[in-house]
Amino acid sequence: MGVDLESITEATSGAIGSLLSTTLLYPLDTCKTRYQAEARAHGQQKYRNLSDVFWEAISTGQVVSLYQGLGTKNLQSFISQFVYFYGYSYFKRLYTEKSGSKSIGTSANLVIAAAAGACTAIVTQPLDTASSRMQTTAFGKSKGLWKTLTEGTWGDAFDGLGISLLLTSNPAIQYTVFDQLKRRLLKEKQDEAGKGASPVALSALTAFVLGAVSKSIATFLTYPAIRCKVMIQAADPNEDETEKARPRARKTLPGVAHAIFKREGILGFFKGLHAQILKTVLSSALLLMIKEKLTRTTWVLILAIRRYLLLTRGRLKSA
């Protein structure tokens, strides 16, 4: 089987879009993660609102620390999106070739997206865990990637993998909704343009709106698992002055779920939902908007590189 240029194009444009959106929204991501990682009884919270994290960084002169772990997050984001988009595009192409169908139904799309998400979670879990630990470490005390990963066992680097696999339903829902809405809009535009017209593409604003809608739906449905995962991966709060760290309880899903319910009640499972939606909706919408605009350019560049390599190889053989 030859190189799948279409899948590589999708993966490359998706990874670049992820890199840009992650960098732009990283301070918000850090505030969100620190806010989600705290589980205390009402009246004892260090962070009562998302903005409290931001003001803490300003008051302590650690604004730059809002970017701690950015390099690791960008590496994790780039690799995960490349693996995801490549797997998603490749599995879709494989499905259509094997089934002989020109379109993919919702059920098949969900399975394909979940399979791509599972591959992504396994490959990038250590980087995901490290970035969460860096973000939740006290401002100004974050360590490098290697030191963060080697503080415990290598098994600790895969903390939250089970939940990450469960959360493959999040991008599965998101991209299924996005693809279905995108397909309908493009079909309507193509019908209006006529059969002989050139292929149409989504505008930046339309891609942004579709990305926001699809991610909002996925985030709401999976948020309790998202918060549990953040708490499992968070750095041990050794600097906490009011209560001692409980690393073992925070390393298992039952322990984390029990801590949330005991200290915050059932609504605690949705603490930070607004922050998660704000960050992920903006991030995903920006990612998909950038990806839609980069896909054509990336495709042309890859074809040009491929043609150059073929011409060079032909010259070497004839020499």
Side-chain angles (χ1 to χ4, degrees):
M1 183 178 292
V3 177
D4 189 346
L5 293 180
E6 186 174 340
S7 295
I8 291 178
T9 300
E10 289 285 319
T12 302
S13 57
I16 294 173
S18 175
L19 188 67
L20 293 174
S21 64
T22 297
T23 301
L24 289 172
L25 299 174
Y26 195 74
L28 175 61
D29 187 38
T30 297
C31 292
K32 171 199 70 73
T33 302
R34 295 177 73 88
Y35 181 64
Q36 290 172 322
E38 183 186 46
R40 298 186 184 181
H42 294 291
Q44 299 179 6
Q45 300 99 327
K46 182 179 180 181
Y47 305 125
R48 291 174 296 176
N49 301 293
L50 182 67
S51 59
D52 289 345
V53 184
F54 181 72
W55 290 118
E56 179 191 12
I58 293 178
S59 62
T60 57
Q62 296 288 343
V63 177
V64 177
S65 293
L66 290 172
Y67 290 91
Q68 61 189 28
L70 175 60
T72 299
K73 192 71 171 183
N74 272 336
L75 180 61
Q76 183 261 335
S77 181
F78 185 89
I79 294 174
S80 67
Q81 290 302 323
F82 186 91
V83 173
Y84 183 84
F85 278 111
Y86 183 86
Y88 185 65
S89 178
Y90 179 78
F91 290 146
K92 281 203 303 183
R93 176 180 290 273
L94 192 63
Y95 174 84
T96 55
E97 289 178 355
K98 297 295 183 181
S99 66
S101 175
K102 293 183 178 180
S103 61
I104 301 176
T106 302
S107 298
N109 211 342
L110 280 171
V111 172
I112 291 170
C119 294
T120 302
I122 294 171
V123 170
T124 63
Q125 188 64 34
L127 292 174
D128 187 29
T129 300
S131 65
S132 292
R133 288 179 185 172
M134 290 177 180
Q135 287 180 311
T136 52
T137 299
F139 284 136
K141 297 182 180 180
S142 178
K143 305 177 182 67
L145 172 59
W146 181 253
K147 195 167 184 179
T148 300
L149 285 175
T150 55
E151 280 183 329
T153 65
W154 276 105
D156 293 336
F158 287 88
D159 278 346
L161 178 58
I163 300 181
S164 293
L165 292 174
L166 175 64
L167 286 174
T168 56
S169 59
N170 187 294
I173 296 170
Q174 176 195 354
Y175 291 115
T176 297
V177 173
F178 181 84
D179 267 1
Q180 296 299 320
L181 293 176
K182 173 185 173 182
R183 187 182 303 172
R184 291 185 181 182
L185 286 177
L186 292 181
K187 186 177 183 302
E188 290 177 2
K189 288 185 177 182
Q190 192 67 52
D191 290 342
E192 292 176 0
K195 293 184 178 180
S198 58
V200 294
L202 291 179
S203 66
L205 178 60
T206 302
F208 186 93
V209 172
L210 293 188
V213 171
S214 60
K215 193 60 179 180
S216 294
I217 294 173
T219 299
F220 177 78
L221 294 175
T222 59
Y223 187 74
I226 291 173
R227 194 186 175 205
C228 287
K229 178 188 172 186
V230 170
M231 291 184 63
I232 287 174
Q233 294 180 325
D236 297 333
N238 294 324
E239 74 280 3
D240 199 309
E241 299 177 355
T242 59
E243 56 179 72
K244 297 181 180 180
R246 299 179 182 180
R248 290 187 179 179
R250 294 169 67 91
K251 295 297 181 183
T252 64
L253 178 58
V256 165
H258 176 72
I260 293 174
F261 183 76
K262 181 179 179 181
R263 300 172 188 177
E264 303 177 32
I266 193 68
L267 293 180
F269 289 99
F270 291 91
K271 176 186 176 181
L273 174 61
H274 64 292
Q276 183 74 29
I277 289 179
L278 175 62
K279 185 267 171 183
T280 55
V281 164
L282 287 176
S283 178
S284 296
L286 282 172
L287 186 159
L288 292 170
M289 180 180 68
I290 295 169
K291 174 181 172 292
E292 287 295 320
K293 290 304 176 183
L294 285 177
T295 297
R296 284 188 174 183
T297 304
T298 305
W299 175 252
V300 172
L301 287 174
I302 288 178
L303 287 180
I305 293 172
R306 180 171 179 266
R307 184 180 179 184
Y308 172 79
L309 293 175
L310 289 175
L311 289 174
T312 303
R313 185 183 302 174
R315 291 171 183 172
L316 291 175
K317 286 182 178 180
S318 61

